[in-house]
Amino acid sequence: MMIGKTTARLAATAVAAVAMFSAGAPASAKSELILAIGGEPDNGYDPLLGWGRYGHPLFQSTLLKRDADLNTVPDLATEWALSDDRKVWTIKLRPDVFFSDGTPLAAEDVAFTFNEAATAGGALDLTVMDRAEAVNDSTVKIYLNRPWVTFSENFYSLGVVPSQEYGPGYARQPVGSGPYRLVSWTEGEQLIVEANSAYHGRKPAFDRLTFVFSGEDTSLAAARTGDVDMVSVPALMADDSIDGFDRIVVPSVDNRGLSFPIPQPGEVNAEGQPVGNAVTSDLAIRRAINLGVDREQLVDVALNGYGRPAYGPADGLPWSNPDAAVTYDPDAARAMLDDAGWVPGANGIRVRDGVRAAFDVYFPASDSVRQALSIVVSEQLKALGIAAQPKGVTWEQIGRIDHQQPVMFGWGSHSPVEVYSLYNSAWGGIDFYNPGYFADSTVDGHFSDAQHAESLEQSYPHWQAAEWDGKTGFSARGLAGWAWLVNLDHVYFVNECLDVGETQIEPHGHGWPITAMIEQWTWTCD
């Protein structure tokens, strides 16, 4: 196997790290913390453009939050109710909320946030919303054009912005009612935030946080010199030890998987981009890959044991279907390819009708975990007679080829709306959602039934049927739209004096999921 369980350390990088962090604030002032946990957003800190959708937005408040067990708890909302026709939400707000600039937060701000987000073109799906209206200072009504069970997921992810302050530049100078306010942001280097004295919730114990944005080796080196209080590390660095630091391993639904372009080549999308792949358009290829990939080995080798196999985009969550999982069976995978007419050719690579079973596997070159997964998967596929060539590129380059070649993507959310986005035919080619243009009327029908259910709990059987209904579905047992591979553990080295308390099962790593419950963090040393 080409990947070992450790990565080389670059001495020069470590030296540079020491120099960089030595210029920062002293780690001994424990009303302050320095965190090297990644998560610098490309588009700034504007929740209308997607900031905070994978965790609490820190600068802004949301209507609702989730506790460590993912149970719903209030944030801005004190009451929330859906009308009998499931098309009108009525939300009452707590009265004692102020933005960090001292102005009061009122229902008009909530209505403005939802109305503006619906037209902002961000990552949130508000297409079913007709309008939001402030009934009075403390009551908002949100009108939907049809019942949509996942609409309320926006209550957990959409941070409320001030209607009078929001405008161009907000993403880099956000004003909100969250536990912290932004002090300064030097892009690519660091972000400094201070506690919001007007915060309505439990006050955090730390007055000032500095988030440093550095590479994996640089951050780890900073932890070794005591210049940071917390560092997130990729799995291949997780077995390291740092004096004075505890290793915290947090389970997640942060997954990694291969997208498959589904159409035959020759099609173009509305933007004129080529769509399709001559190999992955064949169902036998997609199902054989799902059967022939050894996910346990991927966890052991590419994740150093810090994770678990993935069989779907939401493993273990209430809307996932455990019956959709497949068992590793390379002999069955090879037989499936034989039956489909893919016969071994030169160098053992299969061929059918003059088409070699070969494609590229793209991954972001800056991500060591995705690189390791891509290399190991490619090695495994050789045993099936499939030639997969890993290629590390930029996200911009991935955006140009993801409709034509498999990509090592990462997803994982606390909401079923992400499953909908990945497989619903209407989302084909939108941003990085459904990049392979998966489309199936039966799956779409199950999604429709789920969205029109009377409650989220009652929608679960429909989401599960979309994954596998006994005959078909989007999973590996059905139409195999993706090959889900692993769920990551998130690994942090944390100063032994910092107690972060209970943690959630973390979502995908955009933003800072570990800070979702930052109000409970405490410093335990004198």
Side-chain angles (χ1 to χ4, degrees):
M1 196 58 63
M2 298 179 67
I3 285 291
K5 289 191 173 183
T6 60
T7 56
R9 304 287 190 269
L10 300 178
T13 304
V15 171
V18 172
M20 173 182 176
F21 286 96
S22 295
S28 57
K30 289 313 163 194
S31 61
E32 304 179 8
L33 295 176
I34 302 178
L35 312 174
I37 54 176
E40 184 178 34
D42 294 332
N43 298 320
Y45 303 96
D46 185 347
L48 277 59
L49 298 179
W51 164 247
R53 73 183 189 277
Y54 281 114
H56 198 266
L58 194 66
F59 304 118
Q60 296 90 8
S61 300
T62 51
L63 293 174
L64 302 173
K65 297 194 295 186
R66 291 187 172 94
D67 66 13
D69 297 322
L70 303 185
N71 297 313
T72 295
V73 294
D75 191 359
L76 294 177
T78 58
E79 299 176 35
W80 53 98
L82 185 62
S83 62
D84 290 341
D85 65 0
R86 305 196 302 281
K87 294 172 64 175
V88 183
W89 279 99
T90 301
I91 301 150
K92 293 187 179 298
L93 306 175
R94 58 186 298 164
D96 56 343
V97 180
F98 294 85
F99 291 109
S100 58
D101 63 358
T103 58
L105 185 151
E108 179 60 35
D109 299 298
V110 176
F112 171 85
T113 297
F114 276 80
N115 287 324
E116 194 74 9
T119 60
L124 300 166
D125 179 18
L126 297 169
T127 53
V128 299
M129 192 185 81
D130 180 67
R131 67 191 187 281
E133 293 180 354
V135 177
N136 52 46
D137 283 349
S138 61
T139 306
V140 180
K141 285 187 179 290
I142 299 177
Y143 298 86
L144 310 183
N145 53 40
R146 60 186 183 277
W148 205 249
V149 75
T150 60
F151 183 81
S152 59
E153 296 302 306
N154 294 296
F155 299 170
Y156 302 86
S157 58
L158 181 53
V160 174
V161 302
S163 58
Q164 297 301 312
E165 299 290 337
Y166 185 81
Y170 178 87
R172 281 159 176 75
Q173 293 181 319
V175 173
S177 57
Y180 284 90
R181 67 178 186 87
L182 190 149
V183 175
S184 67
W185 178 23
T186 305
E187 293 184 42
E189 296 183 14
Q190 67 177 15
L191 170 78
I192 298 175
V193 306
E194 288 183 350
N196 174 15
S197 60
Y199 182 52
H200 54 277
R202 177 180 173 182
K203 300 292 190 294
F206 299 96
D207 296 332
R208 187 182 178 97
L209 308 176
T210 299
F211 295 85
V212 293
F213 306 121
S214 52
E216 296 166 347
D217 290 289
T218 306
S219 297
L220 191 63
R224 293 189 187 286
T225 57
D227 288 304
V228 299
D229 299 295
M230 178 188 293
V231 58
S232 63
V233 297
L236 295 175
M237 296 180 178
D239 274 348
D240 285 15
S241 61
I242 304 175
D243 290 342
F245 281 67
D246 296 326
R247 181 191 300 108
I248 296 181
V249 180
V250 182
S252 83
V253 289
D254 187 2
N255 52 47
R256 298 291 182 269
L258 278 180
S259 61
F260 290 135
I262 304 295
Q264 288 278 352
E267 298 184 19
V268 296
N269 61 17
E271 290 73 41
Q273 298 170 316
V275 171
N277 184 290
V279 178
T280 62
S281 57
D282 184 58
L283 176 59
I285 287 281
R286 301 197 303 271
R287 293 185 66 190
I289 291 173
N290 271 283
L291 279 173
V293 168
D294 185 346
R295 292 169 174 83
E296 295 282 358
Q297 185 184 56
L298 287 171
V299 171
D300 290 341
V301 177
L303 300 187
N304 203 20
Y306 290 93
R308 54 192 168 92
Y311 300 97
D315 288 346
L317 296 175
W319 48 92
S320 69
N321 187 347
D323 293 336
V326 294
T327 302
Y328 172 55
D329 191 341
D331 291 335
R334 281 187 283 267
M336 184 175 292
L337 294 171
D338 291 341
D339 292 345
W342 292 96
V343 298
N347 300 320
I349 303 306
R350 294 174 182 268
V351 180
R352 186 177 75 176
D353 298 333
V355 176
R356 292 180 76 241
F359 50 76
D360 297 325
V361 172
Y362 282 80
F363 63 90
S366 59
D367 190 321
S368 64
V369 171
R370 297 191 207 210
Q371 179 185 30
L373 288 167
S374 299
I375 292 172
V376 178
V377 164
S378 297
E379 287 294 311
Q380 292 181 351
L381 293 184
K382 283 183 183 177
L384 303 181
I386 297 172
Q389 179 62 45
K391 287 192 173 182
V393 297
T394 65
W395 277 113
E396 181 180 8
Q397 290 170 303
I398 287 174
R400 291 198 292 267
I401 55 81
D402 62 337
H403 308 322
Q404 303 172 68
Q405 297 288 340
V407 175
M408 187 65 71
F409 276 111
W411 296 95
S413 167
H414 291 157
S415 166
V417 71
E418 186 164 274
V419 174
Y420 180 85
S421 305
L422 291 172
Y423 289 103
N424 186 272
S425 59
W427 281 73
I430 295 178
D431 293 329
F432 287 121
Y433 298 109
N434 195 359
Y437 285 83
F438 179 92
D440 181 72
S441 59
T442 300
V443 172
D444 284 350
H446 290 310
F447 283 154
S448 179
D449 292 340
Q451 291 289 15
H452 289 82
E454 293 189 6
S455 69
L456 190 62
E457 290 73 19
Q458 292 183 43
S459 75
Y460 293 160
H462 302 296
W463 298 111
Q464 292 168 344
E467 190 167 5
W468 176 246
D469 64 6
K471 295 180 179 178
T472 190
F474 62 69
S475 67
R477 293 188 67 181
L479 299 171
W482 292 63
W484 297 104
L485 302 173
V486 296
N487 292 295
L488 278 60
D489 287 339
H490 289 172
V491 183
Y492 303 90
F493 286 107
V494 179
N495 190 304
E496 61 187 8
C497 293
L498 177 60
D499 181 2
V500 300
E502 291 184 282
T503 57
Q504 297 175 335
I505 296 175
E506 295 190 348
H508 189 50
H510 289 296
W512 310 298
I514 190 70
T515 67
M517 304 181 69
I518 198 168
E519 296 98 313
Q520 69 178 13
W521 290 13
T522 58
W523 191 258
T524 61
C525 300
D526 294 333

